[in-house]
Amino acid sequence: MMGYFTWCHGKATRPTNPSEKVPKGSLVINTDSDSIGVFKDGHTWRKFVATLPAYTACNVIEWSWIQEFDLDDKNDIRNGLTILIAWDESNLLNNADWEDSEEDPNVRCGTPPKGWPGEEVDDEWGPCLFHYYAIKDIEAGDEILMAYGEFEDFHADWPRMGLPVEQGLSEPMVADNPEPPKISPTTENK
């Protein structure tokens, strides 16, 4: 695992940059742990989001995605169509697929094919189980970018969970105003 730093600027949300060079094939982030929220149906996910304060709910919606897994371990709760929420550093990785992005992804989530990275292989990667590998050398200070489209089909997957895109979910986007909202200090938690 490598060290990295995250900061805020107006171009994108929270870019993440390695503090040292990362060679191709390196495991950049491993978040296959209990730090991922898992929901098996859209109704339960929506009820959970409705319990959150508005600002927190917006962040949870932004960092939720749907993935379909066909895992060898049929008892793995992630098997099948699943709504996931990243509660860890993986939610700091920006998308190279955005229309205004001029960068290509430099990490990929999944199980690399046998023989990679030592040789070029045509085999498909295994499912995205929260292991992010460098698919090319990443220089210190370069932004770590992934391609969300590798594991999520935004317009197809949400309706399959009973959550039509037209009813309140929006595509991931950068806010027009990069300034965080002003939050007044309070003496009690609500």
Side-chain angles (χ1 to χ4, degrees):
M1 300 294 280
M2 49 115 215
Y4 55 89
F5 59 93
T6 301
W7 55 290
C8 294
H9 67 78
K11 178 183 168 200
T13 58
R14 304 182 309 226
T16 302
N17 310 78
S19 55
E20 57 195 58
K21 182 177 180 176
V22 180
K24 177 181 176 180
S26 298
L27 179 63
V28 177
I29 297 175
N30 177 2
T31 60
D32 191 7
S33 64
D34 292 334
S35 62
I36 300 288
V38 177
F39 293 84
K40 295 305 291 181
D41 66 83
H43 181 69
T44 304
W45 175 84
R46 185 172 272 177
K47 280 175 49 178
F48 168 72
V49 171
T51 67
L52 303 171
Y55 183 74
T56 304
C58 288
N59 283 321
V60 167
I61 290 169
E62 183 74 20
W63 296 110
S64 295
W65 74 97
I66 295 177
Q67 217 174 311
E68 187 159 12
F69 297 98
D70 183 14
L71 305 174
D72 292 335
D73 180 359
K74 299 305 178 194
N75 293 318
D76 190 319
I77 191 170
R78 298 171 293 190
N79 222 10
L81 198 60
T82 305
I83 299 174
L84 301 157
I85 303 171
W87 304 114
D88 53 43
E89 61 269 30
S90 68
N91 76 17
L92 302 175
L93 301 181
N94 282 321
N95 185 12
D97 289 345
W98 282 329
E99 289 178 19
D100 62 345
S101 177
E102 298 174 13
E103 304 287 331
D104 291 326
N106 51 23
V107 298
R108 182 166 184 171
C109 183
T111 307
K114 288 184 171 93
W116 185 86
E119 55 190 78
E120 292 302 316
V121 291
D122 293 329
D123 295 339
E124 289 188 26
W125 282 56
C128 177
L129 292 173
F130 321 116
H131 300 106
Y132 298 84
Y133 292 89
I135 56 174
K136 60 184 176 181
D137 289 343
I138 307 170
E139 297 299 322
D142 286 354
E143 183 174 3
I144 300 172
L145 294 167
M146 64 186 310
Y148 294 173
E150 288 181 348
F151 54 85
E152 178 187 35
D153 182 349
F154 181 82
H155 290 287
D157 291 341
W158 285 103
R160 290 175 61 204
M161 290 299 270
L163 300 166
V165 173
E166 296 78 27
Q167 292 186 1
L169 295 173
S170 63
E171 290 189 25
M173 64 178 71
V174 177
D176 292 334
N177 180 2
E179 295 297 317
K182 302 276 190 260
I183 300 174
S184 302
T186 62
T187 57
E188 61 183 290
N189 293 328
K190 294 186 179 188

